[in-house]
């Protein structure tokens, strides 16, 4: 019997996924499809449909694709026997596109948990963290504008990640006069750095205008950081408890983002719930 053909779609290859791909390839006929988010949706469509061209049982796994690159995978799902999609929100979208009766949602797991000795401690003033690629659409501009509305309150903030938008973000920070309070740490954040960032901050803000899932939302809560996210990321459903471990902001505006960070006492109460 032919091995099941699996097409795993992702917007980029990252070092920590290599072991997963190698393990999966031992059991299935695996094709990993990548598509840059700056490319048009037809690029992802051609790649995924091409990988499904041969006859036989097939499965599409849609991972952390952005909306454009994923579009081709969603269309191609009609040619697959099963479709695995990250999160309930995206699974509804796939069903709406016609892949009925064969769509299975999954959630990315947290793999790097804090040790018992790495308990989270509150900081004064409150420390705000945004951990995301420095690319358009992640909402760095929204958080900068939100923090600019809170200059009369005690806080410090860190943005960490790698990407082509670093220069624009630095300019925006300077434009709002926040260079003394908002630090941009540019570059790939390895596991050791991630742990240090979670341990030394109090709340995570992920103001992405679109996010397929957002694993950092679950990771931050595992370290005791409540989260602030918009409704248009997959992790807003299934990765937090609104009002207890985080806040879901709607509409996604600078003013709305600023509101849940204004109350450090509430952030501290939510920290324990997030860790649990």
């Amino acid at each position: 019997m032919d091995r099941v053909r699996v097409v795993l779609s992702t917007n980029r290859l990252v070092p920590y996924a290599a072991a997963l791909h190698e393990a999966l390839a031992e059991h299935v006929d695996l094709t990993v499809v990548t598509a840059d988010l700056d490319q048009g949706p037809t690029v992802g469509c051609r790649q995924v449909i091409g990988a499904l061209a041969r006859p036989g049982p097939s499965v599409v796994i849609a991972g952390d694709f952005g909306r454009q690159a994923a579009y081709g995978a969603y269309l191609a799902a009609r040619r697959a026997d099963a479709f695995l999609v990250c999160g309930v929100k995206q699974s509804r979208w796939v069903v709406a596109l016609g892949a009925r009766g064969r769509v299975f949602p999954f959630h990315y797991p947290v793999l790097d948990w804090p040790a018992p000795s790495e308990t989270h401690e509150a900081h004064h003033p409150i420390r705000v963290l945004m951990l995301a690629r420095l690319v358009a659409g992640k909402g760095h501009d929204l958080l900068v504008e939100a923090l600019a509305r809170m200059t009369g309150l005690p806080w410090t903030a860190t943005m960490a990640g790698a990407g082509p938008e670093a220069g624009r973000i630095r300019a925006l920070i300077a434009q709002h006069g926040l260079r003394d309070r908002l630090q941009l740490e540019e570059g790939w954040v390895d596991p050791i750095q991630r742990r240090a960032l979670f341990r030394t901050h109090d709340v995570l803000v992920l103001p992405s205008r679109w996010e397929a899932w957002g694993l950092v939302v679950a990771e931050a809560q595992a370290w005791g950081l409540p989260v602030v996210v918009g409704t248009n990321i997959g992790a807003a459903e299934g990765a937090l408890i609104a009002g207890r471990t985080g806040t879901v902001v709607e509409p996604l505006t600078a003013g709305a983002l600023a509101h849940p960070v204004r109350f450090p006492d509430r952030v501290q109460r939510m920290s324990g719930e997030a860790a649990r």
Side-chain angles (χ1 to χ4, degrees):
M1 180 178 178
D2 293 338
R3 294 206 302 177
V4 174
R5 185 169 63 260
V6 173
V7 178
L8 190 155
S9 60
T10 181
N11 66 329
R12 63 195 177 104
L13 292 175
V14 290
Y16 58 76
L20 170 64
H21 296 166
E22 292 173 2
L24 191 58
E26 293 181 0
H27 304 281
V28 300
D29 179 2
L30 177 66
T31 300
V32 179
V33 176
T34 62
D36 192 295
L37 296 184
D38 293 331
Q39 296 176 320
T42 57
V43 175
C45 185
R46 288 197 302 269
Q47 289 178 312
V48 175
I49 291 178
L52 293 173
R54 303 191 310 276
S58 59
V59 176
V60 172
I61 303 177
D64 52 347
F65 256 26
R67 185 181 296 270
Q68 282 191 332
Y71 185 60
Y74 296 152
L75 291 179
R78 299 179 182 180
R79 302 180 59 170
D81 297 288
F83 195 85
L84 279 65
V85 61
C86 190
V88 175
K89 182 183 289 290
Q90 284 205 97
S91 68
R92 288 199 301 266
W93 187 20
V94 175
V95 169
L97 286 173
R100 301 181 184 279
R102 52 191 177 182
V103 178
F104 305 91
F106 69 93
H107 294 166
Y108 285 125
V110 175
L111 300 178
D112 190 14
W113 289 79
S117 60
E118 296 177 298
T119 55
H120 182 266
E121 296 182 2
H123 303 93
H124 303 283
I126 189 172
R127 298 180 183 178
V128 179
L129 173 65
M130 180 176 177
L131 180 55
R133 293 183 66 208
L134 308 181
V135 294
K138 291 290 187 179
H140 292 86
D141 55 326
L142 289 173
L143 181 55
V144 172
E145 294 172 14
L147 294 172
R149 296 168 180 247
M150 300 166 52
T151 53
L153 298 173
W155 58 265
T156 62
T158 303
M159 291 179 170
E165 292 290 304
R168 186 183 68 85
I169 296 169
R170 288 189 187 279
L172 193 61
I173 292 171
Q175 175 186 331
H176 286 278
L178 298 177
R179 284 185 293 191
D180 293 337
R181 302 179 67 179
L182 172 52
Q183 180 180 4
L184 178 62
E185 296 186 3
E186 183 183 355
W188 170 255
V189 180
D190 64 31
I192 295 176
Q193 292 171 310
R194 292 173 78 88
R195 296 174 74 91
L197 287 169
F198 290 140
R199 190 172 58 249
T200 57
H201 289 80
D202 299 291
V203 59
L204 177 96
V205 182
L206 186 64
S208 300
R209 292 179 170 88
W210 165 256
E211 190 90 32
W213 177 242
L215 177 57
V216 69
V217 172
E219 290 177 323
Q221 290 172 95
W223 282 82
L225 275 67
V227 296
V228 180
V229 303
T231 59
N232 46 356
I233 76 167
E237 293 185 47
L240 63 93
I241 304 175
R244 287 179 54 189
T245 71
T247 300
V248 180
V249 174
E250 187 178 17
L252 186 60
T253 64
L257 279 176
H259 181 73
V261 186
R262 290 178 183 270
F263 305 102
D265 57 335
R266 184 183 179 201
V267 169
Q268 304 307 338
R269 289 197 304 270
M270 296 174 79
S271 175
E273 289 288 331
R276 280 190 292 273

